Amino acid sequence: LRLADCADRVFLIEALEHGPTLTRMSRRISNYDGRMHIQMPDLTRTQQRAVTAMALRLLGARVGYDYPSLLRNARRRVALNMKRGFCSETAQYLLTMAGVMPPQAEAISVS
């Protein structure tokens, strides 16, 4: 995410055990000793604003981490309902709610 007040910084919205959290991307990857692939979706400015607005709303929603669905998702698809969220489920929810991708009843599978 890029916020209007901090346009020169990139933030991540992360699904953590205590709920969604906003973190500076540079802080998250500064001590990472490994390889990573970062894929930024090609969004219009309207979609970018919609994703940012939805992410900021989600930060205050007190959504916990969805450990059970994360484990189930390794074997089969799980419902996308955001009562709780794991990493890719949270990203999918934000992109769906912002109109970037079509609504789906199930979270993206990791397999």
Side-chain angles (χ1 to χ4, degrees):
L1 303 175
R2 290 187 189 269
L3 304 176
D5 294 345
C6 307
D8 61 329
R9 294 191 177 159
V10 177
F11 292 87
L12 302 173
I13 182 163
E14 300 180 279
L16 300 178
E17 65 220 19
H18 57 276
T21 303
L22 196 63
T23 308
R24 280 196 352 244
M25 187 168 144
S26 59
R27 176 171 287 174
R28 175 57 62 209
I29 65 175
S30 65
N31 294 322
Y32 183 73
D33 185 24
R35 299 177 75 159
M36 80 178 57
H37 173 80
I38 299 171
Q39 183 174 346
M40 302 291 288
D42 187 22
L43 305 179
T44 66
R45 191 173 277 322
T46 300
Q47 290 172 325
Q48 289 172 1
R49 283 193 293 267
V51 168
T52 299
M54 194 66 219
L56 293 175
R57 273 189 233 111
L58 193 58
L59 289 174
R62 299 192 182 270
V63 175
Y65 196 84
D66 197 359
Y67 289 106
S69 288
L70 177 64
L71 297 173
R72 283 193 301 273
N73 196 38
R75 290 179 276 129
R76 61 177 170 78
R77 291 187 178 258
V78 297
L80 180 63
N81 59 28
M82 282 311 292
K83 291 179 183 173
R84 293 176 292 180
F86 57 86
C87 303
S88 61
E89 183 181 23
T90 302
Q92 181 181 353
Y93 176 79
L94 290 173
L95 293 172
T96 299
M97 295 306 291
V100 175
M101 62 186 296
Q104 298 175 13
E106 298 174 325
I108 295 171
S109 178
V110 294
S111 56

